[in-house]
Amino acid sequence: MEEQIKKIQENTSKSIKQAQSKQELNDIRVKVLGKKGELTLILRSMGSLSAEERPIVGNKVNEAKKEIEELITQKEKELKIKELEKRLETENIDITEPSKKINIGSIHPITQIIDQIKEVFLGMGYSIADGPEVETSHYNFDQLNTPSDHPARDLQDTFYITEDVILRTQTSPVQARVMETQKPPIKIICPGAVYRSDTLDATHSPVFHQIEGLVVDKNITMTDLKGTLEMFAKKCLGENTKIRFRPHHFPFTEPSAEADVSCFVCGGKGCRVCKQEGWIELLGCGMVHPNVLRNCGIDPEVYSGFAFGCGVERIAMAKFGIDDLRLLYENDVRFLKQF
Ligand code: DAH
């Protein structure tokens, strides 16, 4: 029986050496160590052996099993390495294969307009200022010469957080914050979100964007304001754009005006975008009210300034031909990736 074991061991290690695949190794394992394997059968037939022979043969079988297992494990490793080497030799990278498509987003139309306007004003020597969206009524109204009975302060129009804390209804409070902390000459613009208690529809949104502008220095006049806005309109909306002022009222400017630009879609002839008027309302503006300068610690006898506040959505809609404001906030990529 010992002879038989030795023979099995020899034959098995030979076939393990010659094996070319995992499958072959598996077959060998089953043939020798499986339920009906050669060594298993020997173990089973040990009942016929004498009490002295039994432990000796048992030992031999176990040793043989162990050796065969080890040989198989070893061979498996070798085969794995060979397989890898073969793959490395035969596989090559096809550099002409198109790569996986990566979807890159696009800049939101509102951000695009803000960026363009920033660019124009940076070119004219302005800096970008910033202020909080959660603002106090002190900055949003009081510092801006807006009395407590002014309709803009109504609960219906403004989101109040407490009596004194609100969501800013305009970017104008940044004017006051800047004037309090900087000395003239001041030349800033401030883009940002503003909030009004409006119901969302095609032309209104409770949150929208404005760009505020403020210049304070000695001898600033309405001509500077008009020249600046003309430059802004030409650079942002096209060289042929014209600008006109209409008298208006804002508490924080005197005199105040609303500025229209000639329709940059039809050139002023009248179209759907300008509602056949040839002009599009662009912004509110004026000469900074002496009370505002005084409130912020600037002497109106020495300094004067102009300011303007411009809605961003309206420009984006006219420029990109968007006829419903809501589209700008729905985050539908099918819409947004067109711009
Ligand atoms: N804050 C005004 C608004 O939201 C717009 C405005 C008008 C801003 C005149 C100004 C200005 O700076 O001078 O309607």
Side-chain angles (χ1 to χ4, degrees):
M1 208 171 248
E2 285 178 42
E3 268 302 303
Q4 209 184 333
I5 297 171
K6 212 170 158 200
K7 192 121 202 199
I8 294 173
Q9 216 170 339
E10 276 171 15
N11 287 341
T12 310
S13 59
K14 217 190 261 168
S15 32
I16 291 176
K17 258 184 210 146
Q18 289 165 356
Q20 291 301 325
S21 69
K22 243 174 140 173
Q23 183 58 46
E24 269 180 64
L25 282 178
N26 227 4
D27 292 345
I28 296 169
R29 186 184 275 128
V30 172
K31 181 168 165 261
V32 184
L33 308 172
K35 256 189 200 162
K36 289 179 182 166
E38 291 163 3
L39 283 178
T40 316
L41 290 180
I42 290 184
L43 272 180
R44 283 210 192 131
S45 66
M46 280 194 341
S48 61
L49 297 176
S50 70
E52 297 93 60
E53 269 181 312
R54 227 178 280 160
I56 300 170
V57 173
N59 251 337
K60 289 269 177 221
V61 173
N62 283 336
E63 270 170 31
K65 266 173 99 171
K66 212 173 139 206
E67 191 196 294
I68 289 167
E69 305 252 22
E70 275 167 15
L71 284 174
I72 289 178
T73 315
Q74 179 62 28
K75 185 70 185 187
E76 269 172 351
K77 277 189 198 153
E78 278 171 33
L79 283 177
K80 235 189 192 155
I81 294 173
K82 259 202 191 139
E83 198 189 329
L84 184 67
E85 279 170 356
K86 205 165 123 196
R87 257 180 51 196
L88 287 176
E89 265 171 36
T90 53
E91 268 181 18
N92 45 18
I93 297 166
D94 180 2
I95 56 165
T96 64
E97 190 178 23
S99 62
K100 270 195 195 140
K101 208 171 161 200
I102 299 171
N103 281 321
I104 299 177
S106 56
I107 310 238
H108 193 281
I110 292 189
T111 312
Q112 286 186 41
I113 298 291
I114 291 178
D115 286 349
Q116 266 180 27
I117 297 177
K118 271 191 192 168
E119 196 74 18
V120 170
F121 281 97
L122 285 171
M124 294 196 274
Y126 284 63
S127 337
I128 312 289
D130 201 6
E133 291 175 20
V134 180
E135 184 54 283
T136 56
S137 7
H138 173 74
Y139 282 111
N140 197 86
F141 298 124
D142 300 332
Q143 287 298 73
L144 297 173
N145 199 37
T146 309
S148 44
D149 58 358
H150 193 278
R153 299 184 74 141
D154 201 294
L155 286 170
Q156 303 257 309
D157 296 319
T158 301
F159 288 114
Y160 279 85
I161 291 169
T162 67
E163 210 174 301
D164 304 318
V165 180
I166 58 164
L167 297 184
R168 69 178 179 195
T169 60
Q170 48 189 357
T171 41
S172 307
V174 180
Q175 285 187 35
R177 288 180 173 275
V178 168
M179 284 189 276
E180 280 183 5
T181 51
Q182 294 178 28
K183 286 201 162 63
I186 292 169
K187 270 173 98 177
I188 58 105
I189 58 162
C190 166
V194 300
Y195 302 83
R196 292 201 195 159
S197 173
D198 279 328
T199 313
L200 185 65
D201 64 26
T203 51
H204 296 83
S205 162
V207 51
F208 57 101
H209 297 79
Q210 287 187 336
I211 296 188
E212 193 76 13
L214 172 71
V215 171
V216 182
D217 203 350
K218 288 176 179 156
N219 304 318
I220 297 292
T221 69
M222 197 107 178
T223 349
D224 298 309
L225 171 61
K226 199 160 186 197
T228 303
L229 294 181
E230 216 165 78
M231 179 76 136
F232 157 46
K234 284 188 192 301
K235 292 269 185 224
C236 281
L237 308 170
E239 280 303 318
N240 297 323
T241 310
K242 286 195 253 327
I243 194 155
R244 78 173 182 194
F245 276 18
R246 279 179 289 108
H248 203 80
H249 169 77
F250 296 104
F252 34 90
T253 40
E254 183 59 37
S256 304
E258 270 192 336
D260 300 333
V261 283
S262 55
C263 178
F264 42 88
V265 177
C266 65
K269 286 194 213 77
C271 68
R272 206 170 55 96
V273 174
C274 61
K275 301 198 186 77
Q276 310 304 329
E277 290 189 4
W279 294 92
I280 296 176
E281 187 187 315
L282 185 67
L283 49 75
C285 60
M287 301 307 294
V288 182
H289 197 292
N291 286 351
V292 175
L293 292 172
R294 215 173 285 122
N295 289 347
C296 302
I298 292 176
D299 185 352
E301 301 295 328
V302 182
Y303 293 104
S304 55
F306 68 73
F308 59 87
C310 170
V312 178
E313 274 76 357
R314 185 173 308 150
I315 301 183
M317 288 170 76
K319 240 187 141 161
F320 295 122
I322 300 165
D323 54 12
D324 192 323
L325 183 65
R326 288 167 288 200
L327 289 166
L328 290 168
Y329 306 115
E330 282 168 354
N331 289 341
D332 186 332
V333 254
R334 290 167 304 178
F335 167 75
L336 291 174
K337 73 180 173 193
Q338 301 175 68
F339 307 102

